[in-house]
Amino acid sequence: MTKPIIATASLAGCFGCHMSVLDIDAKILQLIELVEFNKSPIDDIKTFTKPCDVGLIEGGCGNSENVEVLRDFRKNCKALVAVGECAIMGGLPAMRNGIPIQECLEEAYLRCPTVDDKIIPNDEELPISLDKVYPLHEIVKIDYFLPGCPPSADLIWEALTALVGGKPLGLTYNLIKFD
Ligand code: SF4
């Protein structure tokens, strides 16, 4: 029997949402039985080798590479899930959205007292910073949103097992409340 295939990526995020996936503890063994991982930092597969059923994305889009990766996920995954607040609304990285990008770069690279080489990196191979950090749904169609910073391991487990099992996401209040 072929297993559903999952891919994951971290864009402008902190990897906390990926840590939450690993936080499902012993259930990770069940997960490995249930699904096959494709492109993901979890297995270090760097490019899609086959079409995937579910793509989990943490982080918003803060640079040109983030947009490229996100579009690649949309193309290769049947269902795309925005995991965590950074993916859903930009999160902490979006705190820069009220400040012009040039000012952000000058603050980070020219005025920061702990930076020795006072130069704004400009190698042509580096991704270009966007004017602001965009939530995923402003760039591509997103099918599901899992709230939290990060979403709890239980929430990720329930959502993932429902999705790969072809069931509706009947997430209970307990899983998505934050008080
Ligand atoms: Fe990190 Fe929170 Fe953003 Fe997830 S939602 S990438 S845990 S800051």
Side-chain angles (χ1 to χ4, degrees):
M1 197 183 80
T2 55
K3 295 179 184 177
I5 306 171
I6 289 181
T8 78
S10 177
L11 306 182
C14 74
F15 269 93
C17 291
H18 271 80
M19 289 296 124
S20 215
V21 174
L22 300 179
D23 251 2
I24 61 176
D25 296 329
K27 288 204 263 295
I28 197 96
L29 299 174
Q30 271 174 267
L31 187 63
I32 289 163
E33 289 298 314
L34 274 179
V35 303
E36 173 187 334
F37 277 89
N38 199 258
K39 177 179 163 71
S40 171
I42 291 172
D43 56 15
D44 209 24
I45 295 179
K46 300 200 188 302
T47 52
F48 284 102
T49 58
K50 52 178 90 167
C52 294
D53 295 287
V54 180
L56 303 174
I57 312 268
E58 79 161 42
C61 286
N63 66 35
S64 53
E65 186 194 34
N66 297 155
V67 173
E68 204 177 300
V69 171
L70 179 59
R71 291 198 169 128
D72 198 29
F73 264 70
R74 182 66 279 178
K75 204 166 65 185
N76 284 283
C77 301
K78 278 189 212 147
L80 213 49
V81 186
V83 183
E85 298 307 326
C86 296
I88 294 172
M89 54 174 233
L92 282 178
M95 286 178 75
R96 77 164 167 89
N97 285 2
I99 305 166
I101 183 63
Q102 187 59 27
E103 211 176 302
C104 292
L105 293 170
E106 286 171 10
E107 184 65 27
Y109 294 106
L110 304 185
R111 292 196 285 275
C112 178
T114 55
V115 172
D116 283 337
D117 298 331
K118 304 288 186 195
I119 180 169
I120 296 176
N122 61 359
D123 190 290
E124 63 184 24
E125 290 204 1
L126 290 174
I128 297 165
S129 296
L130 303 181
D131 60 331
K132 61 175 194 158
V133 178
Y134 293 83
L136 304 187
H137 67 272
E138 289 190 14
I139 310 280
V140 298
K141 177 180 179 288
I142 296 295
D143 303 293
Y144 300 97
F145 298 83
L146 298 184
C149 180
S152 69
D154 287 342
L155 170 55
I156 291 173
W157 171 254
E158 289 298 326
L160 208 45
T161 48
L163 282 174
V164 299
K167 298 185 192 126
L169 253 69
L171 302 174
T172 59
Y173 176 70
N174 268 358
L175 287 174
I176 51 174
K177 77 178 179 73
F178 301 101
D179 52 0

